Amino acid sequence: MDPPALPADPARLRRRLLLWYDANRRDLPWRAPPGGRADPYAVLVSEVMLQQTTVATVRPRFLAFVRRFPTLEALADAPLDDVLHEWQGLGYYRRARALHGLARTVRDGGGALPATVAGLEALPGVGPYTAAAIAAMAFGVPTVPVDGNVARVLARLARVETPLPAAWPVLRRLAADLAGAGAGEGAGDGRWGDLAQAAIELGALVCRPAPACGGCPWREVCEARAAGVEAALPRKAARAAKPRRYAVAFLVRRDDGALLLRRRPETGLLAGLVELPTTPWQEGPFRDEGAILAGAPEALDLRPLPGEVRHGFTHLDLTLGLWTGAGHEAGDGFFWRQDRLGELALPTLTRKLLRLGGITPGARP
Ligand code: ADE
């Protein structure tokens, strides 16, 4: 296939999109009136907020934020604690800190946000998307910011079959083409801020993950729609397989039937929870008994039980074998009566292992 290209003259695409935007735009407090320029500070604050939450959530929070800190300078002069307080509930406090730090950098460097994409991108914490959004919306720079919404729109319009994230450079090139010169330049050009908002709006209202092509100003030229693949685009690369780790757990019973357990460290995975003792986790399956026994607690007659337990964590998958034996040395663990297992906060992984060993911990009282 040829490299993806815009399916029509960019000026014509822009004109149609802007006509649609003028008739369908939502009135949002950070947006300029049609044809106008937005306040760069308002664009900055709103885009940082919109990176993490929905328009409905952001709207009142944006208004409250700019009422409290009406300018970049006011934000820079405010104590960080006040900013974090105003950010409460929006999550990702790292972003609020970065925004505050950025305001101070700009204040100390002369006071105004740069008016070019390159100047904006040079600021700490400002990525290509936010830089393009501010440049277009506040300074009228001919550029189309590509966030997830706009990526979806462009991937469909030009039928980009390359999966994300590999497709990002192609999508940025298509965005640059859309903002570029076309044969039929004229009406509508110069409205670069509106064009950026319009592309975002199309992705938010029409070209949604489940597309509503009936309302789309580009439906007649959309390559994905012509091929009937619009709902399948943009494609996404299969996530990299999670690493797998291997371990052996031990079901050690005392004469009175109590089981040997241990508590996990207070930090890290399954912090502070109680589990069966295991060998250290390793990258490959255990090949010899020596390595298993070296990682085992004090016990007699240790032998493997048939079967295994597989468990998925967010970042890794674990496969465990289960060995059983008899013992009375608790080591760094403790013995616990089987009929009181329900009182403990046992991770699912441990419950699975117990089940494989024929034990069902009761419900927590
Ligand atoms: N999502 C990201 N940026 C946005 C904007 N400027 N308006 C509406 N939704 C958005």
Side-chain angles (χ1 to χ4, degrees):
M1 269 214 294
D2 292 335
L6 294 178
D9 178 70
R12 191 172 138 233
L13 289 170
R14 293 197 293 266
R15 251 193 319 276
R16 281 180 170 245
L17 180 59
L18 285 166
L19 278 174
W20 172 86
Y21 181 65
D22 289 341
N24 295 283
R25 74 195 286 281
R26 291 170 295 176
D27 236 338
L28 299 174
W30 50 86
R31 285 189 172 161
R37 297 249 170 111
D39 169 14
Y41 172 64
V43 176
L44 172 66
V45 172
S46 62
E47 291 300 339
V48 172
M49 288 185 175
L50 288 161
Q51 276 164 32
Q52 61 201 44
T53 11
T54 61
V55 166
T57 305
V58 166
R59 189 198 291 250
R61 303 307 304 269
F62 167 84
L63 289 170
F65 194 91
V66 296
R67 211 176 302 123
R68 177 121 184 232
F69 313 110
T71 62
L72 196 75
E73 197 174 13
L75 181 63
D77 292 343
L80 175 62
D81 270 355
D82 290 4
V83 179
L84 294 176
H85 188 258
E86 195 59 53
W87 203 264
Q88 265 182 62
L90 282 169
Y92 297 94
Y93 292 91
R94 200 165 30 86
R95 296 227 171 105
R97 284 173 195 276
L99 183 60
H100 184 246
L102 172 65
R104 293 200 159 174
T105 304
V106 173
R107 178 195 63 190
D108 298 345
L113 281 166
T116 62
V117 175
L120 287 158
E121 252 191 285
L123 293 170
V126 176
Y129 168 76
T130 310
I134 297 172
M137 296 172 190
F139 298 114
V141 173
T143 181
V144 175
V146 189
D147 69 347
N149 275 321
V150 177
R152 185 169 61 248
V153 171
L154 294 173
R156 288 171 177 168
L157 178 67
R159 194 182 168 187
V160 177
E161 291 282 350
T162 308
L164 289 170
W168 278 106
V170 178
L171 297 168
R172 294 219 175 85
R173 180 177 50 74
L174 290 167
D177 291 348
L178 182 61
E185 233 157 326
D189 280 344
R191 294 181 57 192
W192 300 108
D194 284 347
L195 186 75
Q197 294 281 5
I200 292 168
E201 199 77 332
L202 190 65
L205 300 183
V206 171
C207 199
R208 297 168 59 86
C213 300
C216 182
W218 287 344
R219 64 181 175 277
E220 277 131 37
V221 291
C222 178
E223 303 260 9
R225 185 160 188 260
V229 296
E230 66 276 12
L233 296 185
R235 299 196 192 279
K236 301 209 170 90
R239 286 229 212 115
K242 283 193 265 183
R244 182 167 287 281
R245 294 286 178 271
Y246 297 83
V248 171
F250 300 97
L251 199 60
V252 174
R253 282 191 182 81
R254 204 164 57 183
D255 290 348
D256 61 358
L259 289 181
L260 181 61
L261 301 174
R262 70 179 181 192
R263 191 174 292 279
R264 292 185 62 86
E266 289 302 325
T267 55
L269 202 64
L270 308 176
L273 298 182
V274 171
E275 66 176 3
L276 290 175
T278 73
T279 61
W281 301 359
Q282 65 176 38
E283 288 189 9
F286 284 81
R287 305 224 175 274
D288 64 278
E289 289 197 354
I292 295 172
L293 293 173
E298 287 288 320
L300 295 171
D301 301 330
L302 276 170
R303 60 195 163 76
L305 288 172
E308 64 181 20
V309 162
R310 288 171 167 247
H311 189 73
F313 294 105
T314 319
H315 298 298
L316 79 112
D317 289 321
L318 190 60
T319 300
L320 292 121
L322 185 62
W323 285 44
T324 184
H328 57 270
E329 297 281 345
D332 54 5
F334 56 91
F335 281 94
W336 189 265
R337 273 169 52 178
Q338 287 191 40
D339 61 344
R340 290 180 54 198
L341 282 172
E343 295 169 25
L344 299 172
L346 298 173
T348 306
L349 169 61
T350 301
R351 290 175 181 274
K352 288 185 188 171
L353 285 164
L354 288 170
R355 225 172 293 130
L356 180 63
I359 297 168
T360 308
R364 295 187 76 185

